[in-house]
């Protein structure tokens, strides 16, 4: 089938072009080929993990829930094997990175189970994701989305709503990237805010019956995020606070012109 890295690059280009059927075939064939190979090298095991992760995602995009679940299950086993192989080769930092990727993988598995209407199973996957990556915001808001879609109510989502409210504030501040706003937690994926803020406004509506304590907490978080966005738009808050802080630390403590005249700062 050719070099695995080349195959991965090719089917990913197909995904970008919207050619999901051929990309699924290629990712599936590469996964099967690598799964069947005994004594895989470190590189081959890494390619297997990548191919299975892509396959699960492509099948999710194609609404092939059962197939995506199967690929994700194989991914979980292959990812653990890859992490062990990395550790055995003295690559502990790389192994830690591979293990942490389980957070995103569990979020993906939860999305699929939610689409199948299996709320309890979906919540279990998202709980695992939060355990692996405590700042992965998607693992906090997906449960409310699932409750709404599957049960048409947020009556039983009080604790989940409070957890979401807490994480939205703790991982701030809001950043502006181009024309969009997002939260960027340390060492995890950024969370775009446009759709999430729209969801928050809907989840706070009385007809969804979110418990009062959670509703108050989420409303406060919603207001704070919108306040920060307004401040950035008005130029009152840095578009990227962390970058601005880093720049500020580089400001010279001695005035160059004063120094060049032989003076002191």
């Amino acid at each position: 089938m050719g070099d695995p890295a080349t195959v991965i690059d090719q089917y990913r280009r197909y995904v970008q072009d919207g050619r999901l059927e051929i990309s699924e075939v290629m990712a599936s064939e590469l996964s099967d080929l690598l799964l069947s190979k005994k004594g895989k090298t470190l590189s081959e095991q890494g390619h297997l993990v990548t191919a299975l992760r892509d396959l699960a995602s492509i099948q999710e995009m194609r609404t092939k829930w059962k197939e995506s679940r199967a690929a994700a299950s194989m991914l979980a086993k292959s990812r653990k094997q890859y992490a062990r192989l990395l550790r055995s080769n003295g690559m502990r930092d790389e192994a830690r990175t591979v293990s942490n990727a389980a957070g995103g993988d569990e979020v993906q598995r939860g999305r699929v189970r939610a689409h199948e209407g299996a709320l309890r199973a979906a919540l279990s996957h998202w709980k695992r994701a939060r355990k692996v990556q405590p700042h992965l915001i998607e693992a906090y808001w997906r449960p409310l989305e699932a409750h709404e879609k599957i049960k048409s109510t947020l009556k039983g989502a009080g604790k989940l709503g409070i957890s979401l409210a807490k994480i939205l504030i703790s991982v701030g501040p809001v950043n502006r990237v181009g024309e969009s706003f997002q939260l960027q937690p340390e060492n995890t994926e950024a969370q775009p805010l446009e759709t999430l803020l729209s969801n928050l406004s809907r989840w706070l509506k009385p007809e969804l019956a979110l418990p009062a304590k959670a509703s108050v907490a989420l409303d406060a978080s919603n207001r704070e995020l919108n306040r920060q966005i307004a401040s950035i738009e008005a130029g009152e808050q840095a578009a990227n606070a962390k970058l601005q802080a880093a720049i500020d630390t580089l400001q010279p403590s001695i005035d160059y012109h004063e120094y060049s005249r032989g003076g002191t700062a």
Side-chain angles (χ1 to χ4, degrees):
M1 190 175 183
D3 175 55
T6 301
V7 175
I8 290 169
D9 287 341
Q10 182 64 62
Y11 72 62
R12 284 182 170 179
R13 284 196 292 271
Y14 286 150
V15 171
Q16 292 174 351
D17 293 339
R19 300 175 63 183
L20 297 181
E21 184 174 359
I22 183 62
S23 64
E24 180 187 354
V25 170
M26 293 178 68
S28 180
E29 289 182 353
L30 178 59
S31 298
D32 289 343
L33 179 66
L34 292 172
L35 279 167
S36 64
K37 186 172 183 179
K38 296 182 179 180
K40 286 183 282 292
T41 65
L42 189 63
S43 177
E44 288 170 338
Q45 187 68 32
H47 289 316
L48 172 60
V49 169
T50 298
L52 287 170
R53 180 174 289 124
D54 290 342
L55 179 60
S57 295
I58 293 167
Q59 289 169 332
E60 179 188 0
M61 286 187 280
R62 300 196 69 204
T63 67
K64 299 174 73 170
W65 313 129
K66 182 178 179 180
E67 292 85 350
S68 181
R69 270 197 290 124
S73 179
M74 289 187 289
L75 167 61
K77 296 176 183 177
S78 297
R79 187 188 59 243
K80 291 177 182 178
Q81 292 170 352
Y82 186 33
R84 284 197 297 268
L85 193 56
L86 287 165
R87 283 192 293 270
S88 68
N89 280 271
M91 304 171 72
R92 294 190 176 278
D93 290 341
E94 291 83 353
R96 191 175 300 109
T97 298
V98 169
S99 295
N100 285 341
D105 294 340
E106 288 298 316
V107 165
Q108 191 274 333
R109 297 176 80 177
R111 291 197 306 262
V112 169
R113 297 301 278 145
H115 278 296
E116 293 180 307
L119 180 59
R120 183 175 296 181
L123 293 176
S124 178
H125 284 300
W126 292 323
K127 183 177 181 180
R128 292 180 207 165
R130 294 192 297 271
K131 185 175 181 179
V132 176
Q133 291 190 355
H135 294 154
L136 186 56
I137 300 174
E138 187 178 355
Y140 292 84
W141 65 261
R142 285 289 180 185
L144 273 76
E145 178 189 65
H147 266 275
E148 179 189 11
K149 288 185 176 181
I150 296 172
K151 291 192 169 185
S152 299
T153 180
L154 296 179
K155 189 175 181 180
K159 291 182 179 179
L160 295 168
I162 291 172
S163 294
L164 174 59
K166 289 179 178 178
I167 197 69
L168 290 175
I169 297 304
S170 68
V171 299
V174 172
N175 290 323
R176 184 173 193 167
V177 179
E179 295 302 314
S180 64
F181 295 92
Q182 64 180 34
L183 291 172
Q184 178 58 74
E186 292 288 346
N187 302 317
T188 190
E189 297 177 11
Q191 173 61 60
L193 287 176
E194 183 178 4
T195 301
L196 179 56
L197 288 173
S198 176
N199 287 338
L200 288 177
S201 296
R202 188 178 66 260
W203 293 336
L204 289 168
K205 291 182 178 180
E207 53 264 35
L208 284 178
L210 182 67
K213 189 174 181 179
S215 182
V216 169
L218 266 186
D219 182 58
S221 297
N222 187 37
R223 290 174 183 273
E224 173 58 19
L225 292 174
N226 279 294
R227 183 197 67 77
Q228 290 188 45
I229 289 173
S231 294
I232 291 173
E233 291 178 327
E236 299 168 356
Q237 178 175 320
N240 189 323
K242 293 179 181 178
L243 176 60
Q244 186 60 52
I247 292 173
D248 290 342
T249 63
L250 298 176
Q251 295 298 322
S253 58
I254 298 177
D255 182 81
Y256 173 76
H257 296 291
E258 182 70 22
Y259 178 79
S260 66
R261 292 194 297 270
T264 57

